Amino acid sequence: MGSHVMTPEQMRRGPLFWPRWVLLLLLLGMVAALTPIFVLSGSATATVPAKGQYVPQARTYYIGADEVDWNYAPSGINQITGAAFDDTAAVFTKPGPQRIGTTYVKSLYREYTDASFTSLKPRSAADQHLGMLGPVIRAVVGDTIKVVFKNNLDRPVSVHVHGVFYDKSSEGAPYDDGTGAADHGDDAVAPGTAYTYSYKVPDRAGPGPMDGSSVMWMYHSHTNEVGDDYAGLVGPMVITKASAARADGTPNDVDREFFVQFKVSNENASPYLQRNIDRVAADPASVDTGSEGFGESNLMHSVNGYVFGNLPLDAMTMRKGERVRWYLMGMGTEVDLHTPHWHGNTVTALGMRTDVVSLLPASMVVADMVPDDVGTWLFHCHVNDHISAGMLVRYRVTDADSSGNGNGNHSGHS
């Protein structure tokens, strides 16, 4: 048998002069080292989604812009005090020869069952608190959203979304952006016509490193952005991360969700001002639209389109110990600095424990609450002028074993 020891001369002259047994050992070592890489890469291409792993989907919404009569105080009284409107509240609520009162013509986004736009989709118990807001658009990171939009109004309007990914043909805003006519059909959908908007939901549309399992965006008409906003064309959108999404797109670590908009709805800047005067004021010809008193009477300091606690309490009810997520947004102008405050319970928002958050026009804040204090509580803007003008609602916390009102995401913790 030959020697199994390499001589110094063989080592010096390099691998071409090494014995075959040394070269064989080196080859076997390389194969052993590379085998796990090839095995893992091959198995990765053959991997199927794990059980329960989210599969992205296309979600389609049929949304119309409709003209409706909206009453900011349908009960006819101040629900916060339980009494008739006092002189301060009457500034905003009392109709008269030169006053409109609490009912106005509005344009609202409403959801339909299909592309025929013949049947409204009934609002669920969970959505009864939305009031004037449009339907909640939901999606999960990785999804595609399609909004089939029908303009049932007498003027052009659009749908413009925040946060998600869209191209110029789905932006919904008219301005000189250097594009051609093919990309402008979305900017101003003509009365009586429909248009389909398409949006992608990439990672950057979903929760960030300091967010919870879902984040809020909004959508609104941007054809005449100021007039369309005051007419009422605004709605909420929620994007949930894939690892925390139920099949319907709701976050699986939340039991109940509320969407709340604080806004001084300036009816003086609505495209329906003259129609509201002609239709409701007792003496339309005598109305001086430039008078300070008339202008003030049309500043509706609202929460989801309600003033002086008229947002139904049943729609703002939860159980003790539930995981409740509040999605808050502001709109409006320089007077729309709002500080929503919850009595009785606290929330975590922006990584902090608090019971007051801050909103500016078009800002959005997500706040999580696990209510531990049973009772009926005030929820209001803490700006003094806004308190006097009726920007207040109530919410209710029932015992944990209460049957509740069924307006949650599901019946128990997942």
Side-chain angles (χ1 to χ4, degrees):
M1 293 179 63
S3 173
H4 287 272
V5 178
M6 290 180 61
T7 66
E9 179 65 16
Q10 288 174 319
M11 294 180 64
R12 183 183 64 80
R13 295 180 68 183
L16 291 177
F17 297 92
W18 292 354
R20 283 180 293 177
W21 65 269
V22 173
L23 296 175
L24 180 60
L25 285 176
L26 287 173
L27 179 61
L28 291 173
M30 292 174 63
V31 171
L34 292 173
T35 296
I37 297 177
F38 288 110
V39 170
L40 288 175
S41 64
S43 63
T45 59
T47 298
V48 296
K51 183 178 180 180
Q53 182 174 331
Y54 182 78
V55 178
Q57 59 183 280
R59 299 179 185 268
T60 301
Y61 293 84
Y62 303 97
I63 297 178
D66 296 338
E67 185 178 295
V68 302
D69 289 344
W70 183 261
N71 191 338
Y72 285 94
S75 72
I77 66 169
N78 186 335
Q79 289 287 349
I80 301 300
T81 64
F85 296 119
D86 61 17
D87 290 343
T88 300
V91 171
F92 307 96
T93 60
K94 186 177 180 179
Q98 293 87 33
R99 295 292 184 270
I100 296 172
T102 60
T103 299
Y104 292 79
V105 179
K106 305 293 291 182
S107 299
L108 303 182
Y109 289 125
R110 299 198 294 180
E111 188 172 7
Y112 286 79
T113 57
D114 56 42
S116 70
F117 290 93
T118 56
S119 299
L120 284 170
K121 184 175 181 179
R123 277 194 163 167
S124 67
D127 288 342
Q128 291 301 312
H129 70 282
L130 289 171
M132 192 184 289
L133 293 177
V136 180
I137 295 176
R138 294 187 183 275
V140 179
V141 172
D143 282 350
T144 298
I145 304 170
K146 291 190 180 297
V147 173
V148 182
F149 174 63
K150 175 74 179 296
N151 181 6
N152 295 318
L153 306 176
D154 60 359
R155 67 185 191 282
V157 291
S158 68
V159 177
H160 170 70
V161 295
H162 289 226
V164 294
F165 187 91
Y166 48 81
D167 59 25
K168 282 294 181 178
S169 64
S170 287
E171 184 179 8
Y175 60 98
D176 185 6
D177 57 5
T179 61
D183 288 326
H184 286 179
D186 58 304
D187 298 345
V189 180
T193 66
Y195 187 89
T196 299
Y197 295 87
S198 182
Y199 317 110
K200 298 292 185 182
V201 188
D203 286 340
R204 58 94 154 164
M210 295 180 64
D211 289 312
S213 55
S214 62
V215 293
M216 178 193 190
W217 302 103
M218 68 169 71
Y219 63 96
H220 56 90
S221 179
H222 210 304
T223 301
N224 173 5
E225 186 173 9
V226 175
D228 292 346
D229 172 33
Y230 287 134
L233 292 173
V234 182
M237 174 187 292
V238 173
I239 304 299
T240 303
K241 65 181 180 181
S243 62
R246 300 187 183 95
D248 63 359
T250 58
N252 61 21
D253 59 350
V254 174
D255 299 317
R256 201 175 297 271
E257 298 171 295
F258 294 104
F259 301 85
V260 186
Q261 180 192 45
F262 286 77
K263 180 171 70 177
V264 181
S265 189
N266 184 1
E267 296 293 343
N268 301 290
S270 166
Y272 296 116
L273 176 62
Q274 191 58 52
R275 282 183 57 187
N276 284 317
I277 293 172
D278 293 340
R279 192 177 63 105
V280 181
D283 186 8
S286 69
V287 173
D288 178 6
T289 57
S291 73
E292 182 177 351
F294 178 77
E296 181 72 10
S297 74
N298 295 316
L299 299 178
M300 307 306 289
H301 293 62
S302 61
V303 181
N304 285 8
Y306 295 100
V307 296
F308 295 102
N310 271 257
L311 198 163
L313 181 58
D314 283 347
M316 296 286 279
T317 297
M318 64 210 71
R319 292 195 294 267
K320 178 181 177 180
E322 284 190 313
R323 301 164 300 180
V324 179
R325 181 157 292 168
W326 299 80
Y327 303 94
L328 310 176
M329 63 177 172
M331 285 294 273
T333 188
E334 73 274 6
V335 301
D336 284 284
L337 185 157
H338 303 300
T339 50
H341 167 49
W342 294 266
H343 286 213
N345 292 276
T346 65
V347 298
T348 54
L350 305 176
M352 299 178 291
R353 177 70 64 181
T354 184
D355 62 4
V356 179
V357 298
S358 299
L359 293 175
L360 291 172
S363 63
M364 294 158 279
V365 174
V366 179
D368 285 324
M369 172 189 288
V370 179
D372 60 2
D373 205 349
V374 172
T376 297
W377 302 104
L378 201 60
F379 180 42
H380 66 97
C381 177
H382 228 302
V383 176
N384 289 343
D385 285 350
H386 299 174
I387 294 172
S388 299
M391 193 174 278
L392 316 97
V393 297
R394 297 167 298 160
Y395 75 99
R396 180 169 56 202
V397 179
T398 63
D399 288 322
D401 57 357
S402 169
S403 61
N405 61 353
N407 68 341
N409 286 349
H410 62 147
S411 58
H413 293 185
S414 57

